[in-house]
């Protein structure tokens, strides 16, 4: 007997019909999506905590739904990785900061870089199980406010040094290497050159600049920046990093993680940033009840894991798993978003999976925009939901510290 799972049925019936009769009660739909601009380290958004940025993204996503009101939100799940110093329950802070009722259930989620994407998966499961009908998924991060650590215990003679919370969080706990050094391991094993990575980074910056106005229009909700002694109150509504690039310096930069023979530099790696992203997710029941026009349907999702030092290639395992679950082939996918933690990450996965680069990150990525880790998985899912054309399929994938990866497939429904 032919084995057909619930995700593959639509694929088998051929051309998809976007009419209301094709809305299934237990499927999950992205109704609206929004994000803050991504700020550079200790720059435009430095005065905001992760939860404060999350509140702005949540409110923006609800407002863009036009029909969904705050009292209809039943649950909020927000990725947030660097939680030290943020205060209790950062997702709860974001939800209440956005003006949601105190009765809303909230969960703060940490799956390292995949946190924002995993929030969609868990919320979708709650919807598929019939536990809720409408919720918020997303992610938030403020690297600018990550504190320094002072280990608890008796102070030794001679004093003790502070530990940089940022560097500590970027260190693999198994190999005691920074994540960039682990990516260097992959680049070396796969013979990915410095020139290839620099060329890919330039592509990312050029595409971000080329598509900046469209990305700003579809994705970003401006952040009100309070006045200081030096600057007046103003709105910050554009991503910062891609405008700072100087291509003439690319070849002159020294490798960061392996000074002698390394290939990864500050130019061809993602940056340390601040930002938040969110989306309204709803069941088919809610879509019909409220007359909603979904941006996209969540077709399926999958996780995978490899040796922690090989985290860069974990999407190579999550993506085929997702395709097998859903019954789709690589050629069925119109757009791919593979998070640019490092240029080497994308290049490695494209080489292993033989994916056409012309379909990948075609409006730029984390190398040129930034990588606020709790946010990034949400950003790339939302990007597909907003930029695909009706009837097209998209896959977002992201690797995470510890050797993991998450992947999620969307079908675009309405603009």
């Amino acid at each position: 007997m032919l084995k057909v799972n619930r995700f593959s049925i639509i694929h088998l019936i051929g051309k998809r019909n976007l009419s209301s009769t094709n809305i299934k009660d237990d499927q999950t739909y992205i109704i609206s999506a929004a994000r803050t601009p991504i700020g550079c380290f200790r720059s435009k958004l430095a005065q905001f905590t992760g939860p404060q940025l999350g509140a702005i993204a949540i409110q923006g996503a609800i407002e863009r739904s036009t029909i969904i009101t705050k009292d209809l939100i039943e649950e909020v799940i927000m990725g947030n990785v660097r939680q030290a110093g943020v205060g209790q329950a950062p997702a709860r802070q974001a939800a209440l900061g956005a003006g949601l009722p105190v009765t809303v259930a909230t969960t703060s989620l940490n799956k390292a870089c995949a946190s924002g994407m995993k929030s969609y998966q868990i919320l979708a499961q709650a919807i598929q199980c019939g536990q809720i009908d409408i919720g918020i998924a997303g992610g938030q991060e403020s690297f600018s406010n990550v504190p320094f650590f002072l280990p608890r215990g008796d102070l030794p003679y001679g004093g003790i040094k502070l530990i940089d919370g940022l560097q500590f969080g970027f260190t693999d706990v198994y190999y005691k290497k920074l994540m960039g050094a682990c990516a260097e391991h992959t680049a070396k094993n796969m013979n990915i050159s410095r020139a290839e990575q620099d060329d890919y980074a330039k592509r990312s910056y050029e595409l971000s600049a080329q598509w900046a106005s469209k990305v700003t229009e579809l994705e970003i909700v401006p952040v009100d920046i309070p006045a200081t002694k030096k600057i007046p109150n103003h709105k910050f509504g554009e991503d910062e990093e891609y405008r700072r690039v100087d291509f003439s310096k690319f070849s002159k930069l020294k490798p960061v993680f392996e000074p002698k023979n390394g290939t990864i530099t500050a130019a061809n790696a993602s940056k340390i940033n601040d930002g938040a992203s969110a989306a309204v997710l709803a069941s088919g029941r809610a879509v019909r009840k409220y007359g909603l026009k979904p941006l996209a349907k969540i077709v399926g999702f999958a996780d995978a894991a490899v040796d922690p030092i090989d985290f860069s290639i974990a999407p190579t395992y999550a993506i085929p798993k997702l395709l097998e679950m859903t019954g789709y082939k690589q050629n069925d996918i119109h757009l791919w978003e593979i998070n640019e933690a490092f240029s080497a990450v994308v290049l490695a996965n494209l080489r292993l999976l033989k994916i056409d680069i012309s379909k990948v990150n075609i409006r730029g990525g984390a190398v040129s925009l930034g990588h606020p880790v709790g946010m990034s998985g949400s950003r790339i899912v939302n990007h597909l939901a907003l930029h695909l054309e009706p009837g097209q399929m998209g896959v977002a994938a992201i690797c995470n510290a510890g050797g993991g990866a998450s992947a999620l497939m969307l079908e675009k429904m309405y603009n």
Side-chain angles (χ1 to χ4, degrees):
M1 178 179 291
L2 178 65
K3 183 179 178 182
V4 181
N5 63 36
R6 66 182 183 277
F7 295 127
S8 62
I9 293 173
I10 291 177
H11 175 60
L12 294 175
I13 65 175
K15 182 67 177 177
R16 293 167 293 281
N17 183 352
L18 300 182
S19 71
S20 61
T21 59
N22 207 31
I23 300 294
K24 306 300 181 184
D25 285 354
D26 62 349
Q27 288 179 333
T28 303
Y29 301 86
I30 297 177
I31 306 304
S32 59
R35 69 172 176 91
T36 69
I38 298 175
C40 292
F41 183 64
R42 299 300 303 164
S43 186
K44 294 282 190 179
L45 297 179
Q47 61 188 290
F48 297 91
T49 67
Q52 287 172 335
L53 295 173
I56 294 168
I58 290 172
Q59 186 160 338
I62 294 173
E63 289 175 353
R64 291 188 173 192
S65 74
T66 68
I67 294 175
I68 299 298
T69 55
K70 294 177 181 179
D71 61 296
L72 294 176
I73 305 299
E74 299 168 79
E75 187 168 1
V76 175
I77 303 178
M78 295 291 283
N80 196 167
V81 181
R82 303 290 192 267
Q83 295 183 24
V86 170
Q88 292 181 335
R92 179 73 169 169
Q93 294 179 46
L96 297 187
L100 272 59
V102 295
T103 52
V104 69
T106 63
T107 300
S108 305
L109 193 155
N110 186 346
K111 191 181 185 288
C113 301
S115 300
M117 185 179 294
K118 191 65 179 178
S119 71
Y120 290 68
Q121 296 176 318
I122 294 175
L123 198 66
Q125 288 171 334
I127 288 172
Q128 290 167 352
C129 290
Q131 294 178 316
I132 67 167
D133 280 313
I134 303 174
I136 298 281
Q140 58 200 26
E141 207 72 58
S142 175
F143 275 145
S144 291
N145 289 297
V146 174
F148 288 81
F149 302 152
L150 181 65
R152 186 176 295 278
D154 295 334
L155 291 178
Y157 178 78
I160 193 168
K161 69 176 182 179
L162 292 175
I163 297 172
D164 185 342
L166 274 175
Q167 186 179 50
F168 184 79
F170 286 134
T171 304
D172 178 79
V173 299
Y174 306 99
Y175 290 87
K176 310 303 179 186
K177 293 175 177 285
L178 288 168
M179 302 309 294
C182 296
E184 284 278 20
H185 171 81
T186 295
K188 182 178 180 180
N189 285 347
M190 296 188 63
N191 294 315
I192 300 172
S193 69
R194 161 82 177 265
E196 288 178 276
Q197 294 175 59
D198 283 353
D199 286 345
Y200 182 87
K202 290 176 183 177
R203 172 187 186 266
S204 182
Y205 276 97
E206 289 168 352
L207 289 171
S208 286
Q210 178 184 338
W211 289 95
S213 60
K214 191 67 173 178
V215 167
T216 299
E217 174 192 351
L218 293 182
E219 300 182 24
I220 294 177
V221 288
V223 176
D224 285 317
I225 307 296
T228 66
K229 292 181 179 179
K230 295 183 179 180
I231 56 173
N233 176 275
H234 64 286
K235 287 186 179 295
F236 171 49
E238 293 182 297
D239 295 319
E240 250 186 308
E241 170 59 32
Y242 77 90
R243 289 174 288 157
R244 295 187 170 192
V245 69
D246 183 348
F247 292 134
S248 67
K249 294 183 178 180
F250 271 41
S251 61
K252 302 172 185 177
L253 294 174
K254 295 181 179 180
V256 176
F257 305 102
E258 292 187 9
K260 291 185 178 180
N261 300 308
T263 59
I264 297 177
T265 70
N268 61 40
S270 62
K271 311 306 183 285
I272 298 172
N273 302 85
D274 309 324
S277 175
V280 176
L281 273 55
S283 68
R285 290 179 295 272
V287 168
R288 272 201 274 262
K289 180 177 180 179
Y290 297 104
L292 305 173
K293 291 184 68 175
L295 289 171
K297 176 175 64 181
I298 295 179
V299 179
F301 41 82
D303 291 345
V306 296
D307 191 304
I309 200 169
D310 295 320
F311 82 95
S312 298
I313 61 170
T316 301
Y317 295 84
I319 289 172
K321 187 175 178 181
L322 171 64
L323 293 172
E324 182 179 0
M325 286 175 59
T326 58
Y328 285 88
K329 305 297 183 184
Q330 281 193 24
N331 289 340
D332 296 322
I333 308 305
H334 296 83
L335 290 180
W336 302 80
E337 283 289 317
I338 300 176
N339 190 57
E340 297 174 357
F342 302 92
S343 295
V345 167
V346 182
L347 293 170
N349 284 280
L350 296 192
R351 185 180 297 181
L352 290 168
L353 292 172
K354 297 180 171 58
I355 296 175
D356 182 357
I357 194 173
S358 68
K359 296 182 178 181
V360 180
N361 301 351
I362 66 169
R363 296 172 185 85
V367 165
S368 54
L369 296 176
H371 182 19
V373 290
M375 170 202 190
S376 292
S378 171
R379 182 191 70 78
I380 62 176
V381 171
N382 286 358
H383 184 89
L384 288 176
L386 290 164
H387 291 271
L388 286 165
E389 294 297 326
Q392 290 185 339
M393 311 296 296
V395 168
I398 185 167
C399 58
N400 62 261
S406 294
L408 187 147
M409 183 185 295
L410 295 179
E411 177 188 2
K412 178 71 171 186
M413 299 193 72
Y414 299 99
N415 285 324

